[in-house]
Amino acid sequence: MAGDIPFGWRIYETKARVAHIPTGQELKAQTCREEDRAKWPTLYSSDSKVYPTWDRPPSGRLAMVITDTTYRAWNGGGVIGRWQDRKGRVLEQYLTDAMAALATGVVSVQRRLAAEAEVERQKAEAIERRRQELLLRERSVKRYEFILRKADEFARYERLKALSEFLSVCPMSC
C-alpha cells in the first residue's frame, strides 16, 4: 500500500520453454491418430498432434510484478512495472527501479481515480438535473390542472350567482 492506494506485488519463478520429447505411448497415440486421419480426413485436421510441442519446466529465474489493484480490466491492465532476472542483472538489482515506478504509479493512479470520481460526479449532477426538470414539469402540469379546475368552479359559481340574481328579481310567478 502506497499512501491510501493498495498495490499488488507478486514474485514468481518464470517457466522455461524446452522442446517436448514424445514418449513411446505418445508416439503410439500419434500413429493411431494418423491412421484415423487417413480413414476419415474430414474429421481430423492435418496438423494436430496428440502430444504438446513444448514443455514448460521451472527456469530458476525470478520475476516481479507490481499492479494497481484499483484498476478493473479483463485485459490484464493496471501493471505498474514488471522486472525479471536477466543475464546481466538479477532481480534484486531492480528494486530501486521498482520503487521509482511505484512512486510514479501512485501519482498516475491518483490522477486516474480523481478523473473517474469527476466523471461519476458529473453523471450524478446530470441525473439530479433531470430529476429537478421532471419535478418542475410535474409541478407545471399540476398548476395548469389546478387553474383549469378553479376556472370551472368559478364558471359554475358565476352561473349559480346569475340564477340567484334572476330568482331574486323575478318573483315565483315569472
Side-chain angles (χ1 to χ4, degrees):
M1 185 170 284
D4 56 347
I5 300 170
F7 286 94
W9 181 50
R10 180 174 168 234
I11 295 180
Y12 59 96
E13 183 177 11
T14 61
K15 304 283 183 181
R17 188 171 117 169
V18 179
H20 179 73
I21 300 171
T23 63
Q25 185 180 7
E26 290 172 339
L27 290 174
K28 185 177 176 183
Q30 184 66 36
T31 56
C32 288
R33 177 134 184 145
E34 289 171 2
E35 289 170 3
D36 288 343
R37 184 178 39 229
K39 290 180 195 174
W40 303 292
T42 58
L43 293 177
Y44 294 94
S45 64
S46 61
D47 60 345
S48 63
K49 288 189 198 175
V50 175
Y51 55 88
T53 306
W54 303 100
D55 288 332
R56 299 219 175 248
S59 67
R61 293 188 338 237
L62 292 177
M64 175 176 63
V65 176
I66 298 175
T67 56
D68 171 16
T69 58
T70 63
Y71 188 79
R72 303 285 182 237
W74 292 102
N75 62 358
V79 174
I80 302 297
R82 187 184 315 260
W83 301 269
Q84 64 185 16
D85 285 339
R86 291 190 168 48
K87 289 182 182 178
R89 290 175 80 179
V90 293
L91 182 65
E92 293 84 2
Q93 292 176 339
Y94 290 106
L95 289 177
T96 55
D97 296 342
M99 293 303 113
L102 186 61
T104 59
V106 168
V107 174
S108 66
V109 168
Q110 286 173 339
R111 284 186 177 170
R112 183 182 51 80
L113 291 176
E116 288 174 0
E118 178 64 19
V119 167
E120 288 300 317
R121 186 190 64 77
Q122 289 174 353
K123 284 181 185 177
E125 280 182 0
I127 289 170
E128 181 61 23
R129 253 191 327 273
R130 283 192 294 267
R131 191 181 72 77
Q132 290 293 332
E133 288 172 3
L134 183 63
L135 285 174
L136 283 175
R137 269 191 234 126
E138 288 175 358
R139 267 180 147 172
S140 176
V141 167
K142 285 182 181 178
R143 190 177 305 125
Y144 182 73
E145 290 171 353
F146 176 78
I147 290 171
L148 288 179
R149 217 173 31 249
K150 290 302 176 184
D152 288 342
E153 289 175 6
F154 182 71
R156 196 172 67 206
Y157 168 75
E158 286 291 324
R159 286 193 310 266
L160 287 174
K161 182 179 171 189
L163 178 64
S164 171
E165 288 174 359
F166 175 73
L167 290 177
S168 67
V169 171
C170 182
M172 285 299 238
S173 60
C174 293

